[in-house]
Structures are given as structure tokens and as C-alpha cells.
Amino acid sequence: SAVISQKPSRDICQRGTSLTIQCQVDSQVTMMFWYRQQPGQSLTLIATANQGSEATYESGFVIDKFPISRPNLTFSTLTVSNMSPEDSSIYLCSVNQRGAHPEAFFGQGTRLTVV
Amino acid sequence: DQQVKQNSPSLSVQEGRISILNCDYTNSMFDYFLWYKKYPAEGPTFLISISSIKDKNEDGRFTVFLNKSAKHLSLHIVPSQPGDSAVYFCAASLSGGSYIPTFGRGTSLIVHP
């Protein structure tokens, strides 16, 4: 299993500012995933972060709003840019374990409140 | 358009009784299904999974049932314990891709002592 450390665990930010969330994995992984969970909603995939190439964004998410870095195989950052109250969500970092019983592992999440 | 649906946002059960959480999906290509459990201020943790070649998978108190023709799966918890109180997410994925799961909105389970 993978152990994922994510920080900050929570933050309250002013609208118009940016917040960078960090995700550290205890093993090397090819792909890291960033999810958003808005209140009462499902976990929605924002993008897939690949080491050595640009992130792949899902429909409705763009690089200018959610720039992602992936400098090595154990670390990634997600920035929420020019924040508005609608960005208030839980943001989660995740990695997949392959094999006979593939499953996703998650960090503890970052609870973001934009005021 | 939600591909994975959990139509019950909450469920309340007495300790010792059975909890049944339901999940429906629309994409017939999904062939691997998972349940995750989430406590407040924590990330989701994997609970149990099932491949489409099976219709049942059991792990201790937790059993997942899959009805492919109905595109429906359910999670049974027997007996329910107060520590099971959490949000449960159903997820579905494609084995031919990267197993990236598509999640439902979750069901909040409360088990009363």
C-alpha cells in the first residue's frame, strides 16, 4: 500500500489569491491524480499528473486555473489559482496500486475555504 | 451526467443490524467496482472491490454484490457497528485503462448504539 502525505490539511484563503497543495508519496509512482470533492458531491477527477510531461486535465478543468507540477516520481503539487468562493472544496491527491486487486490510495485531503 | 449514482445520501441503522448501501452505474463498460470509506478530515480508504466476472465478494463483515444486468451493486455490512459510521463511496473503473475510478456522491451511514 502507498502512504500519501498531503498538506496543508486545511486553509482559509481570500478570493483572488492562489493556494498550492503538496502531495508526497512514500514510493515511486508513474501517475498521480488530483480530485476535488465539492460539498455533497462526488470525488471528481481534476487531472492526472505524469512525471516528465504535462498534466492531463479532465473536461471542465484547465491548466491556467489548476496548474500542476510533477518534478519527480514521489511528489506533485496542485495550485488553485485566482480563487473564488466556488473553489471551496476538499482537494485530494491519489495514486493507483496496480496488480490483481487495483485500488486507489488517497491523501488526507485539503479542505479549502475561500472567503 | 453521473455515471455512478448513489441515490441515498444517508442511511441510519441500529447497531448489530444489517446496513445495505446501494449503487447504480450507467456505463456498461465498467468492469471493476470498489467501495471506499471516508471519515471526516481523512481521505477515502479502500474497503472492498469486485470484478465483473464475479457476483459476490466477501471480506469479514463486508460483502459486495454485483448485478451486471441491472447495473447495480450493493454493500452489505453485517453486523453494523458504531465505528462503521462514515461516508461510503461507490466507484467504478475500466480494467482496460488505468483503473481510474469514477465515484458516486457517497452515502453517509450512521450506526446507532
Side-chain angles (χ1 to χ4, degrees):
Chain A
S1 64
V3 177
I4 302 173
S5 301
Q6 188 175 335
K7 59 181 181 181
S9 59
R10 60 174 60 229
D11 208 342
I12 300 173
C13 300
Q14 295 291 323
R15 67 177 67 199
T17 63
S18 299
L19 175 72
T20 296
I21 303 167
Q22 299 180 7
C23 179
Q24 179 76 50
V25 188
D26 68 343
S27 58
Q28 293 185 338
V29 292
T30 304
M31 292 189 289
M32 296 175 72
F33 305 92
W34 287 98
Y35 286 84
R36 178 176 76 180
Q37 185 191 6
Q38 294 178 305
Q41 302 297 313
S42 62
L43 282 71
T44 302
L45 182 64
I46 297 172
T48 302
N50 306 298
Q51 197 270 333
S53 63
E54 276 200 7
T56 304
Y57 288 83
E58 298 298 305
S59 175
F61 299 96
V62 295
I63 187 171
D64 290 345
K65 177 67 176 177
F66 298 101
I68 287 171
S69 78
R70 185 78 201 276
N72 57 54
L73 290 173
T74 64
F75 187 79
S76 178
T77 67
L78 170 76
T79 298
V80 186
S81 303
N82 188 25
M83 288 184 284
S84 66
E86 292 71 35
D87 295 319
S88 297
S89 292
I90 298 173
Y91 292 85
L92 293 148
C93 170
S94 174
V95 301
N96 276 4
Q97 172 182 282
R98 303 300 298 271
H101 302 287
E103 60 182 88
F105 294 91
F106 289 87
Q108 73 270 36
T110 298
R111 181 178 291 274
L112 170 62
T113 303
V114 183
V115 297
Chain B
D1 179 34
Q2 272 196 288
Q3 295 192 69
V4 179
K5 301 177 183 179
Q6 293 177 259
N7 292 321
S8 298
S10 64
L11 175 66
S12 182
V13 172
Q14 199 71 30
E15 181 179 8
R17 306 294 290 269
I18 184 171
S19 295
I20 300 176
L21 295 93
N22 293 303
C23 177
D24 298 292
Y25 60 96
T26 58
N27 186 346
S28 58
M29 298 298 291
F30 286 139
D31 58 3
Y32 191 72
F33 305 89
L34 312 95
W35 285 93
Y36 286 84
K37 179 178 179 179
K38 185 181 184 301
Y39 292 117
E42 294 183 11
T45 55
F46 170 76
L47 187 59
I48 193 169
S49 63
I50 188 168
S51 167
S52 61
I53 62 173
K54 295 184 176 182
D55 55 16
K56 176 183 174 181
N57 188 27
E58 188 172 353
D59 184 3
R61 297 185 297 114
F62 302 91
T63 303
V64 56
F65 295 93
L66 175 62
N67 183 334
K68 290 187 291 294
S69 61
K71 297 194 186 67
H72 177 84
L73 64 154
S74 61
L75 174 68
H76 293 210
I77 306 174
V78 181
S80 301
Q81 300 173 354
D84 296 329
S85 298
V87 177
Y88 289 79
F89 289 96
C90 172
S93 63
L94 298 167
S95 60
S98 302
Y99 284 98
I100 301 174
T102 299
F103 288 89
R105 293 188 178 187
T107 297
S108 176
L109 173 66
I110 300 173
V111 180
H112 297 282

